[in-house]
Amino acid sequence: MSARILDGRSIAQEIRREVRLEVAELTKRTGSVPCLATVLVGNDPASTTYVRNKVRACEEVGIVSVRIDLPADLSQEALLHEIARLNRDPSVHAVLVQLPLPPHISERRVLEAVLPDKDVDGFHPSNLGGLLAGSPLFVASTPLGILELLTRSNVTIEGKHAVIVGWSVVVGKPTAFLLLQQQATVTICHIKTRDLGFHTRQADILVVAAGKPGLVTGSMVKEGAVVIDVGVNRLADGGIVGDVSFSEVAEKVSLITPVPGGVGPMTVAMLLKNTVQACRLACGAAGRHGVELVR
């Protein structure tokens, strides 16, 4: 068996076209243009690249992008003050604080400071708790992108066994709850799981987000599985690989995402959709719960 590639780039482009139309319709109907404020503390090269890509994506679909660059030695209090200012600004509908933050700043304190209604990253405790209850305002963009990628690729989720490798609040846990909401049976593993291959071989849908290159090999997947590789690992030679040994695994599974070009573009696309939703909420043009979890 040779896997079909789940092309995140083409699906993300399709979503961006839809978002562009949504932005135009919403602006015409309400007079409000969706606005995303992105806060970058310091000059980490990877974070700078991510923010630049988000700004460019916003411009492509007609979303106003406000980029706020702050020095790495900024105090936590000053950062919280800046977030409070953005929370109060009615022209800013969505606030994203780029992670990671410098070590002297508490990520938890900062993420909790963003209003849930503007938390398009889906990291505020209210949104994480809402996901557990099945009614968040926002879900983190990467898990939401994974769900959208599966749905638009006509992958049946209901009744399937989904195995998640990675338990972060950014990807693993939200993805698990999203798939559970779609009536999959979900197992959560991580790099400390004993006999990881035993669990991954049970997966109809395998999502790997552990941050360890080549963690999942061909012997660790079953024939015909769907594999979503969320890992982004930079090698010494500058190359980028995922957490899955692509060439080995692609020989056995039915569908697989490449790295790069799989989940990454979907993450940005879903951030754009969340930003439009934030504007709808601010304008009273959407219901309280912006994410439809059960299809």
Side-chain angles (χ1 to χ4, degrees):
M1 176 179 292
S2 183
R4 177 165 66 91
I5 304 300
L6 286 174
D7 186 358
R9 286 195 178 100
S10 63
I11 296 177
Q13 282 298 324
E14 179 183 323
I15 293 171
R16 289 191 191 196
R17 287 191 291 270
E18 295 169 2
V19 170
R20 190 180 300 115
L21 294 175
E22 290 179 30
V23 170
E25 181 273 335
L26 182 62
T27 301
K28 180 178 180 181
R29 182 158 56 92
T30 68
S32 294
V33 181
C35 174
L36 170 67
T38 304
V39 180
L40 176 64
V41 183
N43 57 1
D44 176 77
S47 294
T48 300
T49 299
Y50 293 148
V51 169
R52 183 170 61 247
N53 290 342
K54 291 167 184 174
V55 169
R56 185 183 301 122
C58 285
E59 293 171 349
E60 288 178 4
V61 300
I63 291 174
V64 174
S65 177
V66 177
R67 175 171 168 171
I68 300 168
D69 290 87
L70 301 170
D73 60 355
L74 184 79
S75 70
Q76 177 171 291
E77 193 60 34
L79 178 56
L80 292 173
H81 179 77
E82 181 64 23
I83 292 171
R85 182 186 69 80
L86 294 171
N87 285 340
R88 292 192 301 269
D89 188 342
S91 69
V92 173
H93 305 109
V95 177
L96 183 152
V97 180
Q98 182 65 46
L99 302 179
L101 293 170
H104 68 281
I105 297 177
S106 167
E107 289 187 358
R108 181 183 61 82
R109 285 284 307 279
V110 170
L111 296 178
E112 288 178 357
V114 178
L115 283 178
D117 288 10
K118 297 190 177 188
D119 170 41
V120 287
D121 254 343
F123 295 155
H124 191 281
S126 292
N127 283 323
L128 290 171
L131 177 58
L132 175 61
S135 57
L137 286 174
F138 298 104
V139 175
S141 299
T142 298
L144 204 57
I146 292 169
L147 179 61
E148 197 71 16
L149 189 60
L150 292 171
T151 301
R152 293 190 183 226
S153 301
N154 298 313
V155 174
T156 300
I157 300 174
E158 181 179 345
K160 299 295 185 178
H161 186 185
V163 176
I164 316 297
V165 182
W167 62 306
S168 75
V169 75
V170 177
V171 180
K173 291 175 183 175
T175 301
F177 282 110
L178 280 180
L179 295 176
L180 189 61
Q181 285 283 341
Q182 301 299 311
Q183 301 180 45
T185 298
V186 179
T187 299
I188 303 178
C189 303
H190 44 79
I191 58 175
K192 299 294 186 180
T193 298
R194 294 182 181 179
D195 195 0
L196 180 61
F198 169 81
H199 298 282
T200 57
R201 281 189 292 271
Q202 314 305 312
D204 301 306
I205 300 171
L206 178 62
V207 179
V208 190
K212 185 174 180 179
L215 176 64
V216 173
T217 62
S219 65
M220 296 171 66
V221 298
K222 75 175 182 179
E223 295 280 348
V226 175
V227 176
I228 306 294
D229 190 353
V230 188
V232 179
N233 307 287
R234 188 172 295 277
L235 303 178
D237 63 2
I240 296 176
V241 297
D243 291 349
V244 173
S245 180
F246 184 87
S247 57
E248 289 183 40
V249 172
E251 290 298 316
K252 293 182 67 176
V253 301
S254 60
L255 296 169
I256 188 170
T257 56
V259 177
V263 174
M266 295 297 297
T267 296
V268 177
M270 301 315 292
L271 172 65
L272 301 177
K273 285 188 72 71
N274 276 352
T275 299
V276 174
Q277 176 64 17
C279 183
R280 291 187 189 279
L281 289 169
C283 298
R288 184 63 185 167
H289 305 306
V291 181
E292 182 63 42
L293 294 182
V294 179
R295 293 176 180 271

